[in-house]
Amino acid sequence: MSRAELVSPEGLRVDGRRPAELRRLLARIGLLAQADGSAYIELGNTKCLAAVYGPKEPRLASAALHDRASINVEFNVASFSSGERKTKLRKDRRLLEFASIIKRTFEPVVMTASFPRSDIDIYIQILQLDGGALHAAINASCLAMIDAGIPMADFVVACSAGFANGVAVLDLNYIEESAETPALTVALLSKSGKLSMLGLESRLHLDHLQAVMDLATEGCATLGEALEQAVRTSSKLPKAL
């Protein structure tokens, strides 16, 4: 689909949403008994599962950091997650890039100094892909960290926004991302409001940057409220057996 068709003259997107409308969110915590912490997020048709193991003994003693824990991230997309098949090499590079971004997003937030010479492993699986994989993964990882009882300085929440047909659009889906819509992913610290991560896909004119960033920030605030509510709800439920 061409970029010109992403927003109709009536102001509706391809999935029927308004430009500033988020997709439906479903968040569940503590689904995996084998993991120290886990979380599942549905953002529209995008489905993401995150599991956290640790803090635990490092796999390689020689690689252990003497003053803090190491955060390791593995990001995978199920082969059946979307109808489109891309080359394995390109896909692998993209997954490694996402894993690196998530690692850098959480390193300043997790209180790693409390766990020297240990590992904290985050495993992320995208079960169904319909856009927004990165911010869905960041949000699921944050919930899984909380479920594991790993102390963090703040609550991390992420959202994306883009620019199409002269208007900023929130929470891009797969069709919008595939049309190479300029997309900005923002991760904020919920309590302090500080920026934790900023990633831009494709070129975005400087004149539109502020509007897109403001919309992504608003999306983070809305998602943050819903995710914090999910944490409060999960604390009242029995853990998985």
Side-chain angles (χ1 to χ4, degrees), residues 172-194:
L172 274 62
N173 61 31
Y174 185 77
I175 293 175
E176 292 166 335
E177 288 183 350
S178 299
E180 298 184 355
T181 303
L184 186 74
T185 301
V186 173
L188 294 177
L189 304 184
S190 181
K191 304 302 182 185
S192 66
K194 292 181 179 179

Side-chain angles (χ1 to χ4, degrees), residues 114-174:
S114 301
F115 309 103
R117 299 183 180 87
S118 61
D119 279 356
I120 298 173
D121 296 337
I122 306 173
Y123 294 92
I124 299 161
Q125 183 77 39
I126 301 296
L127 303 172
Q128 187 167 320
L129 179 60
D130 187 33
L134 179 56
H135 70 263
I138 291 172
N139 292 330
S141 297
C142 182
L143 295 183
M145 287 278 204
I146 293 171
D147 186 46
I150 295 174
M152 295 189 292
D154 209 330
F155 193 105
V156 183
V157 59
C159 191
S160 70
F163 194 83
N165 297 100
V167 64
V169 291
L170 183 64
D171 187 18
L172 274 62
N173 61 31
Y174 185 77

Side-chain angles (χ1 to χ4, degrees), residues 102-116:
I102 294 168
K103 174 184 171 72
R104 295 197 306 269
T105 298
F106 281 97
E107 279 179 334
V109 184
V110 176
M111 296 180 180
T112 54
S114 301
F115 309 103

Side-chain angles (χ1 to χ4, degrees), residues 58-77:
R59 283 169 288 186
L60 294 174
S62 59
L65 302 175
H66 74 279
D67 59 342
R68 64 189 187 277
S70 297
I71 297 178
N72 308 298
V73 179
E74 186 174 309
F75 190 103
N76 291 296
V77 176

